[in-house]
């Protein structure tokens, strides 16, 4: 297996936590991983991106110019990064923050989920990233939901462990949107 995913949104959406979670869960499953975060100087509201490369072999570089998959959490990220996705790739888009319909492309499979609404249904608007984690994991098969749940204990500060059940529920809700 060799899979890469590019994650983009704005600060405060949990982009970096999502990338860290995917990386940690993949390591738990015995894979080699590279996690490469990037963010603006703003604490919240600025651009935030990361790339995660998951492989059974050694990872040569954390830099991915044309990712196989992308998780795009806002309109600006879709506009800026959608066209970089490799033909035959997959885009997971947060339709809650889209001003226009998600892009249609014969060469890229698109799954648009109203992640903000799903997160609110679960009980916390900050769970958008966990909705995305569940959908991406189910769609790609790259990591098991149980590994994501275990990895939450490692990537979340202990003071936030009481929120793990909500995070897991959000992941399950995201996974439920994947039909194939």
């Amino acid at each position: 297996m060799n899979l890469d995913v590019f994650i983009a949104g704005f600060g405060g959406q949990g982009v970096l936590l999502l990338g860290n979670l995917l990386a940690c869960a993949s390591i738990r499953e015995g894979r080699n991983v590279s996690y490469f975060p990037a963010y603006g100087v703003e604490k919240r509201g600025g651009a935030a991106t990361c790339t995660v490369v998951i492989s059974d072999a050694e990872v040569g570089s954390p830099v991915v110019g044309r990712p196989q998959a992308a998780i795009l959490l806002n309109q600006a990220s879709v506009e800026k990064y959608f066209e970089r996705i490799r033909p035959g790739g997959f885009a997971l888009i947060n339709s809650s923050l889209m001003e226009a319909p998600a892009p249609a492309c014969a060469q890229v499979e698109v799954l648009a989920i109203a992640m903000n609404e799903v997160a609110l249904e679960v009980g916390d608007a900050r769970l958008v990233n966990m909705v995305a984690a569940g959908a991406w994991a189910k769609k790609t098969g790259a990591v098991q939901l149980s590994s994501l749940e275990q990895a939450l204990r490692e990537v979340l500060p202990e003071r936030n462990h009481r929120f793990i059940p909500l995070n897991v529920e959000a992941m399950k809700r995201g996974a439920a949107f994947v039909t194939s």
Side-chain angles (χ1 to χ4, degrees):
M1 176 212 291
N2 188 24
L3 180 66
D4 52 72
V5 59
F6 179 79
I7 307 168
F10 56 78
Q13 287 186 296
V15 168
L16 303 183
L17 175 63
L18 174 55
N20 193 17
L21 178 66
L22 297 178
C24 185
S26 299
I27 290 169
R28 291 182 72 67
E29 291 187 2
R31 299 212 172 74
N32 296 308
V33 176
S34 171
Y35 165 62
F36 187 53
Y39 49 90
V41 295
E42 306 88 350
K43 178 79 172 165
R44 295 205 177 267
T49 65
C50 68
T51 303
V52 180
V53 180
I54 303 166
S55 181
D56 290 328
E58 288 186 21
V59 176
S61 172
V63 179
V64 177
R66 295 190 49 94
Q68 292 169 292
I71 300 172
L72 305 172
L73 298 179
N74 64 352
Q75 178 77 38
S77 296
V78 171
E79 291 171 1
K80 188 170 183 178
Y81 300 113
F82 183 83
E83 291 187 10
R84 292 186 185 179
I85 302 168
R86 240 181 274 171
F90 168 64
L92 178 59
I93 295 175
N94 179 8
S95 62
S96 297
L97 300 181
M98 294 291 295
E99 298 160 8
C105 177
Q107 297 180 340
V108 175
E109 183 179 354
V110 175
L111 175 58
I113 301 173
M115 295 180 202
N116 288 55
E117 286 80 357
V118 174
L120 285 171
E121 287 172 11
V122 174
D124 193 324
R126 297 172 292 181
L127 295 170
V128 167
N129 58 349
M130 295 299 121
V131 175
W136 181 83
K138 175 96 183 267
K139 178 64 183 171
T140 64
V143 66
Q144 299 297 311
L145 288 178
S146 59
S147 297
L148 289 170
E149 181 177 354
Q150 293 169 354
L152 280 170
R153 296 181 192 335
E154 295 175 44
V155 300
L156 289 177
E158 192 169 331
R159 68 181 182 278
N160 292 335
H161 282 194
R162 67 184 186 273
F163 300 117
I164 289 176
L166 277 179
N167 283 265
V168 171
E169 179 60 27
M171 286 189 280
K172 288 178 181 176
R173 296 272 186 103
F177 282 90
V178 178
T179 57
S180 59

